[in-house]
Amino acid sequence: MKRVLFLIGVFVLGLQIAMAQMTVSGTVTDTDTKEPLEGVAVLIKGTTIGMFTNSEGKYELEVPSDGAVLLFTFVGKQTVEEPINGRTSIDIEMGEDPLLLSEVIISGQGVGIEKRRLSTTLEVITSEDIEKTPLTQLDQVLQSKLPTAQIQLSSGQPGTASIIRARGPVSAARGTTPVIYIDGVRVDNLNGNPEVNQGSGGASSSVLADLPIENIERIEFIKGGAATTLYGSDAANGVLQIFTKTGKSGRPRVNAQVQLGSIVGTTDFLRFEETADLIFEPGLLQSYRMGVEGGNEGVSYSFTGSGYHDDGFNAVNEQERYSFRNTLSANLTKDLKFTSSNGYSQLAYTRDFNANTSFARFGNAESGDFGVLDTLNQDAFNAVKENLDLQAELTNITDRVRRFTTANSLTWNISPKFVAQVGFGVDFRKNTYTDVRTNALLVSKGSASPGTNDQGSISVAEREFLSSTGNFNFVYTEEVGDFSFITTLGGQYFRTSDDQLGYSGSDVAEGSLTIGNAAERNFDADAPFNEALTNGGIYLAENFGIKDRFFLELGVRVDANSAFGEDIGPQAFPKVGISYNISEEDWFVNAIPTTAISYAKIRANYGEAGLFPRPFARDRLLVVNPFNGNKALTFGNPGNANLGPERTRTIEAGLDLGALNGLVSLEFTYYNATTVDAIFSPPQAPSTGQLAQAFNIGEINNEGIESALTIRPIKTADVDLSFTVSVNTNQNIVTSNGGTPEFVVGGFTFLGSFIKDSLPLGYFRGANPIFDETGALVDVERNANLGTPWATTFGTFAINFRYKKLTAFINSSYQTGAQGVNVDDVLRYFNDLGAGEIVNSTNVPEAAFGSSFFDIAGVWVENTDFFKIRTISLSYDFGSLANNSIKGLRVGFNAQNPFNFVASNFDPEVTGSNVGEQGRFSAGGFGFGTESAPRMFIGSVNISL
């Protein structure tokens, strides 16, 4: 009898469990177009259990029947919460969310949080943004889609650095490039010349060029102390998070893209039109990409492979890239999910000599080494052309890159309210830079006499970077009446190692490509170079809500870092913020119609983030030098046991506003960021015999506003037109240099970038000439403030237009208030191009020609205001074809860098100096001998099966 009762009890319990589960299905469509929405996340509220809608907008999900609520989220759409209430079929319409307030944000928040709960700002680039604009590399994507940051392409040479700036420079010891993560793994973000570098000029390398843009689901860019606090002691420049696609349930979907186009040199900034005839020649650009994604409720996958090639805009430049990336997501159990993403890239660049080298073809032509080109007769011009063509044929500078990145995570839904996540990943990058200078090349450059042999040389620089990242998060959510809580406890560990080696051979047999055939073999004086760093941090964050309107954020991260001085312990970085969705209050709704103000949110916060010192900067060092066949010791760093991180403290306040039923939206932020304990390395007294030592003695302030306004005058099912303009300001000043003398951080002897109290960081210092009415030099102001490389106002302007299935996009950017140095003009002055009949070939007045260039340095500092059209894009979406056997077909055209309007006589973005040595201050502002980013005209076809 007992056994029977037990079996009955088990049966009843099983029946209750079965009855507690039910299947809900439905279709999700767009409110305006009534078209099905693919890729909508359908979740059981309070958990990470859910799925994505398929290509027909359909979903089917097993849910508990006891009062569960479904949560529907999609980028650009308002989140929908729908109680199940026993229903098995629920269809949903999703309307537009102009301010993206319902968007779920990952950066710094563990497993995600709604944007409406945050007191900080961030910018998001979606896969749809990337797919609609057929760009070829990451910095171009950022340039076209981030309205509150500056991304400037410093050179047209392939694989070279971009200067990325947001909220001004916060450090005199580091560049402005943000930290970069891919799926939670910290990756190499070097955006300047490696420590062991070659002498081919000022074309600094960039690892951003390695990062493939295919298979990206979204990019999040965060900045400001409160937003970056949870990234700790290296996030003061901001954090760039890249998330890859994990695939969607349903049948396999194949996507393919073909891009073909031309790449041509930009001639807008040439002093001599003939330079284009000597150097530039159009090239062919081609890109092929294929991806497949699919899965079911248990396993989803996404795989993309691509190949890219262009033969540049001159006879030397060429680049090819191959990349593969896959992501797998598997529900190991109902509550345990595993995700793995893996990417491999292989790249090869060929470059010309650039900027600060006498071998630069472009620089020599523009600076007048061959005379005034527009006055040469045809025979003289042909002779120059023949020589430069021969130099191009003999130039052999290559940079080859191999990169592998893997990220793996486990997410465990411990309960509907408690989620744990752990992740681990690796980024490995190796590049080999080779410069082969044959005897024939040296003869063509005039550096060897005709008839000589075996005078050539080969130089090689190798760099291996390895980063490993581990992290964990525990997130607990709770709702009690009108109160909600999201508590995050997490930790992160990362270690980076950077190993570099340089070696060379001289007196190389003609035709050799390796130093094995060199009579003399040498190691680079700076090699081998080894740098390693370890960082560990824990963080705690609380997001507390009242009536889903008022939110309070609290958080702190504590970091320990191997670069800190021996007497520096763990460092804490706190944050606090509030946000208030006032438009959801009854008194606001009663006072202001929703047709006038549909959404209003005010926010304010305070937070701290840091920049850690360079590894080994804290240590006392001796330097070993060879002398007469023996070792000779000299002093290196004196050492600093108290060396700690720079600390940027940011106060910000802002307003998010939606008006006229979503036809107008505004985001406005005021910020004031002060870097205390700024690391300065002033020169030591010559009597000490020591190198400059880093100290936490400075203070730097950045103050400004960020604003983005979108106006949508037309919005119907068939026509959609919007204009977006951003206006950002920044005032940068060194509020204290710690009592040290003014010191130089870049530039040249006659005109450099300096650090001084009450002036902008890295301001231009040099002689300011005073001329009389005839142009004659009458006086000189020594060591004058000649300007700043930092724009005081910058922003973007974009137009988006859609007519049915035709879409057009135009994006531009501008800046005012900055200056730059026209170094090409200095070289023209050296080449006597300003005298006699050739007046106005330089900035120097004719009457002052012949003066010492030290006395007239100020004439070469120019205002660098500009307005540039970055992208013009057109696309037409044919939709499904051939009885739905083709799920989608889109054709498009993209023009990159088509128009430039500038105040200066040179391209204000390119720089042949001061982009930055590895891990050091970089501001740019010195333009010479450097081709501008080329124009690209690209046609594309995207097909989905």
Side-chain angles (χ1 to χ4, degrees):
M1 185 65 178
K2 291 182 179 180
R3 180 174 295 181
V4 173
L5 291 175
F6 174 76
L7 292 175
I8 292 174
V10 171
F11 174 77
V12 171
L13 179 61
L15 183 62
Q16 288 176 337
I17 294 173
M19 292 178 64
Q21 298 290 324
M22 58 185 294
T23 299
V24 176
S25 62
T27 303
V28 182
T29 56
D30 186 283
T31 300
D32 296 325
T33 65
K34 308 303 179 183
E35 294 290 327
L37 289 175
E38 179 183 7
V40 176
V42 185
L43 300 172
I44 301 173
K45 186 178 179 181
T47 76
T48 58
I49 300 172
M51 62 175 299
F52 293 98
T53 57
N54 63 19
S55 60
E56 298 175 345
K58 296 184 181 298
Y59 71 94
E60 184 175 286
L61 185 64
E62 187 176 293
V63 301
S65 60
D66 53 347
V69 175
L70 292 184
L71 191 68
F72 298 82
T73 63
F74 190 73
V75 175
K77 300 296 182 183
Q78 292 179 338
T79 294
V80 177
E81 293 187 15
E82 191 71 19
I84 295 174
N85 293 333
R87 293 176 293 172
T88 59
S89 178
I90 301 177
D91 294 334
I92 295 296
E93 288 188 353
M94 301 187 73
E96 189 171 6
D97 181 11
L99 294 175
L100 303 178
L101 297 168
S102 299
E103 189 173 15
V104 175
I105 302 305
I106 304 298
S107 294
Q109 307 298 327
V111 296
I113 191 171
E114 279 189 311
K115 184 178 178 181
R116 62 182 288 109
R117 300 182 68 103
L118 300 179
S119 65
T120 56
T121 61
L122 84 165
E123 295 166 66
V124 176
I125 302 173
T126 67
S127 58
E128 185 178 6
D129 294 329
I130 297 173
E131 290 165 2
K132 285 185 176 180
T133 307
L135 302 171
T136 60
Q137 61 189 52
L138 181 62
D139 47 10
Q140 295 174 346
V141 174
L142 301 178
Q143 187 183 66
S144 67
K145 300 296 182 180
L146 296 183
T148 62
Q150 279 191 301
I151 293 89
Q152 300 186 349
L153 306 179
S154 66
S155 170
Q157 296 283 312
T160 52
S162 299
I163 298 176
I164 302 177
R165 301 169 176 166
R167 296 191 174 182
V170 300
S171 171
R174 298 276 293 275
T176 56
T177 303
V179 179
I180 302 175
Y181 287 87
I182 297 180
D183 292 332
V185 174
R186 181 186 177 96
V187 301
D188 189 12
N189 70 334
L190 175 62
N191 210 27
N193 286 324
E195 195 75 24
V196 179
N197 191 38
Q198 298 299 304
S200 61
S204 300
S205 296
S206 171
V207 300
L208 296 179
D210 306 350
L211 299 174
I213 61 174
E214 61 269 13
N215 216 30
I216 292 178
E217 180 66 31
R218 60 194 277 112
I219 299 172
E220 296 179 0
F221 180 54
I222 60 175
K223 55 200 180 299
T228 56
T229 289
L230 297 189
Y231 292 93
S233 58
D234 196 33
N237 282 323
V239 177
L240 195 68
Q241 286 262 30
I242 300 172
F243 302 95
T244 60
K245 296 179 180 179
T246 58
K248 301 168 185 176
S249 61
R251 61 167 186 81
R253 293 175 295 279
V254 178
N255 300 282
Q257 180 189 70
V258 176
Q259 294 178 325
L260 294 174
S262 65
I263 177 170
V264 298
T266 298
T267 61
D268 300 16
F269 310 102
L270 298 181
R271 170 58 187 86
F272 304 114
E273 294 182 3
E274 291 75 13
T275 299
D277 298 326
L278 292 172
I279 305 294
F280 296 162
E281 56 183 53
L284 174 66
L285 178 154
Q286 50 187 325
S287 174
Y288 306 94
R289 185 181 306 163
M290 178 169 287
V292 59
E293 63 177 353
N296 52 43
E297 292 186 22
V299 178
S300 62
Y301 58 88
S302 176
F303 173 83
T304 303
S306 69
Y308 172 91
H309 179 269
D310 76 58
D311 49 9
F313 57 93
N314 62 42
V316 176
N317 292 158
E318 184 176 4
Q319 61 176 318
E320 62 179 23
R321 304 196 298 262
Y322 301 97
S323 62
F324 306 91
R325 177 166 287 279
N326 76 282
T327 304
L328 176 70
S329 180
N331 294 321
L332 303 181
T333 70
K334 179 183 175 181
D335 299 318
L336 187 62
K337 183 178 182 178
F338 171 72
T339 302
S340 176
S341 68
N342 304 277
Y344 174 77
S345 300
Q346 178 175 305
L347 306 93
Y349 309 112
T350 60
R351 296 182 186 157
D352 204 351
F353 291 97
N354 185 76
N356 194 19
T357 170
S358 60
F359 282 11
R361 298 186 309 137
F362 177 83
N364 290 343
E366 279 293 279
S367 62
D369 276 15
F370 307 112
V372 182
L373 296 181
D374 51 17
T375 65
L376 297 181
N377 60 41
Q378 192 61 49
D379 288 341
F381 180 84
N382 290 341
V384 174
K385 172 69 171 171
E386 182 178 349
N387 174 251
L388 291 179
D389 287 348
L390 177 61
Q391 292 183 27
E393 181 181 344
L394 296 172
T395 298
N396 186 355
I397 301 173
T398 60
D399 194 0
R400 301 185 182 277
V401 180
R402 305 289 186 272
R403 187 169 197 168
F404 174 74
T405 305
T406 180
N408 306 275
S409 67
L410 277 171
T411 302
W412 180 22
N413 294 290
I414 301 173
S415 74
K417 298 178 180 181
F418 192 23
V419 179
Q421 186 180 69
V422 61
F424 176 78
V426 169
D427 179 46
F428 175 76
R429 181 181 187 271
K430 179 176 181 179
N431 75 298
T432 303
Y433 191 96
T434 306
D435 182 355
V436 179
R437 305 185 183 189
T438 63
N439 188 74
L441 175 67
L442 298 178
V443 171
S444 72
K445 299 284 187 181
S447 294
S449 301
T452 58
N453 294 306
D454 299 340
Q455 299 297 306
S457 66
I458 298 175
S459 300
V460 180
E462 296 181 348
R463 177 175 182 262
E464 286 190 2
F465 175 90
L466 177 64
S467 171
S468 57
T469 305
N471 55 70
F472 69 88
N473 288 290
F474 295 99
V475 180
Y476 180 75
T477 61
E478 183 63 82
E479 292 187 13
V480 181
D482 291 334
F483 303 101
S484 62
F485 305 85
I486 301 178
T487 305
T488 303
L489 171 66
Q492 183 198 56
Y493 157 90
F494 66 81
R495 185 182 190 277
T496 64
S497 63
D498 188 343
D499 299 318
Q500 301 178 32
L501 183 66
Y503 48 94
S504 62
S506 57
D507 290 342
V508 180
E510 197 71 0
S512 297
L513 297 178
T514 67
I515 65 171
N517 293 327
E520 295 185 9
R521 305 166 194 175
N522 303 286
F523 279 102
D524 189 299
D526 296 323
F529 171 84
N530 307 103
E531 188 174 86
L533 181 140
T534 302
N535 189 92
I538 58 173
Y539 52 85
L540 177 65
E542 178 65 47
N543 189 287
F544 169 64
I546 303 176
K547 294 184 177 181
D548 203 30
R549 300 170 189 173
F550 180 87
F551 301 96
L552 172 67
E553 289 187 279
L554 299 169
V556 65
R557 170 153 171 165
V558 179
D559 266 6
N561 190 289
S562 61
F564 296 168
E566 294 178 359
D567 295 339
I568 296 293
Q571 299 290 293
F573 300 88
K575 77 167 183 177
V576 59
I578 58 172
S579 60
Y580 185 22
N581 302 294
I582 59 174
S583 57
E584 298 180 16
E585 295 286 0
D586 292 339
W587 59 264
F588 188 95
V589 175
N590 294 333
I592 303 175
T594 56
T595 54
I597 303 295
S598 54
Y599 187 82
K601 171 185 173 181
I602 56 176
R603 47 186 164 76
N605 59 67
Y606 168 84
E608 298 183 12
L611 289 175
F612 48 67
R614 292 198 68 192
F616 313 126
R618 69 176 192 178
D619 298 321
R620 178 174 296 178
L621 302 176
L622 291 176
V623 180
V624 180
N625 299 288
F627 178 76
N628 197 28
N630 296 301
K631 297 185 293 294
L633 298 179
T634 58
F635 291 116
N637 292 337
N640 181 3
N642 293 310
L643 187 62
E646 301 178 281
R647 187 179 295 270
T648 300
R649 299 170 175 169
T650 304
I651 298 173
E652 68 176 63
L655 169 69
D656 300 332
L657 188 68
L660 304 179
N661 288 326
L663 297 182
V664 177
S665 62
L666 171 69
E667 293 188 11
F668 177 88
T669 302
Y670 163 81
Y671 67 89
N672 190 306
T674 300
T675 302
V676 297
D677 297 330
I679 296 176
F680 288 173
S681 301
Q684 298 287 318
S687 58
T688 66
Q690 295 176 331
L691 300 178
Q693 173 63 51
F695 297 98
N696 297 104
I697 56 175
E699 185 173 291
I700 303 162
N701 181 257
N702 287 277
E703 182 180 15
I705 63 170
E706 297 170 335
S707 62
L709 173 68
T710 297
I711 300 174
R712 179 169 284 173
I714 304 175
K715 185 180 183 299
T716 68
D718 290 335
V719 181
D720 194 346
L721 174 65
S722 67
F723 303 90
T724 299
V725 59
S726 70
V727 179
N728 311 287
T729 68
N730 176 260
Q731 294 292 332
N732 170 266
I733 191 170
V734 176
T735 51
S736 173
N737 65 354
T740 67
E742 182 177 12
F743 60 96
V744 66
V745 289
F748 300 94
T749 303
F750 76 99
L751 200 162
S753 291
F754 279 77
I755 303 294
K756 185 179 182 181
D757 268 0
S758 304
L759 289 176
L761 194 67
Y763 81 98
F764 297 126
R765 191 189 82 166
N768 184 31
I770 301 171
F771 304 105
D772 63 18
E773 62 277 3
T774 68
L777 180 66
V778 295
D779 200 2
V780 178
E781 179 187 2
R782 302 292 178 187
N783 299 328
N785 173 14
L786 300 177
T788 173
W790 314 107
T792 56
T793 304
F794 63 91
T796 61
F797 178 72
I799 301 174
N800 282 275
F801 174 75
R802 178 184 60 82
Y803 175 70
K804 293 185 177 180
K805 296 184 177 182
L806 176 67
T807 301
F809 171 72
I810 301 175
N811 179 72
S812 61
S813 60
Y814 67 90
Q815 76 169 28
T816 63
Q819 287 76 43
V821 183
N822 188 346
V823 185
D824 280 327
D825 200 48
V826 180
L827 299 177
R828 285 190 282 269
Y829 183 73
F830 288 163
N831 283 321
D832 294 334
L833 300 193
E837 300 177 359
I838 314 171
V839 178
N840 296 326
S841 287
T842 79
N843 292 340
V844 183
E846 181 180 8
F849 204 85
S851 303
S852 167
F853 75 96
F854 285 102
D855 293 339
I856 57 175
V859 303
W860 293 301
V861 179
E862 304 179 17
N863 289 329
T864 55
D865 301 348
F866 69 73
F867 179 83
K868 295 187 174 187
I869 306 294
R870 303 292 192 180
T871 305
I872 299 176
S873 179
L874 292 170
S875 65
Y876 188 84
D877 191 345
F878 288 92
S880 61
L881 300 171
N883 294 323
N884 208 36
S885 58
I886 296 177
K887 299 297 182 181
L889 176 65
R890 180 192 294 142
V891 297
F893 172 78
N894 174 53
Q896 192 71 15
N897 306 315
F899 301 107
N900 301 292
F901 307 93
V902 302
S904 55
N905 293 308
F906 64 99
D907 187 346
E909 293 187 288
V910 303
T911 182
S913 175
N914 216 18
V915 171
E917 298 177 65
Q918 180 170 344
R920 291 182 172 85
F921 174 79
S922 60
F926 293 86
F928 71 109
T930 304
E931 298 99 324
S932 300
R935 291 191 168 105
M936 293 184 285
F937 303 94
I938 306 170
S940 64
V941 177
N942 292 69
I943 187 169
S944 301
L945 302 174

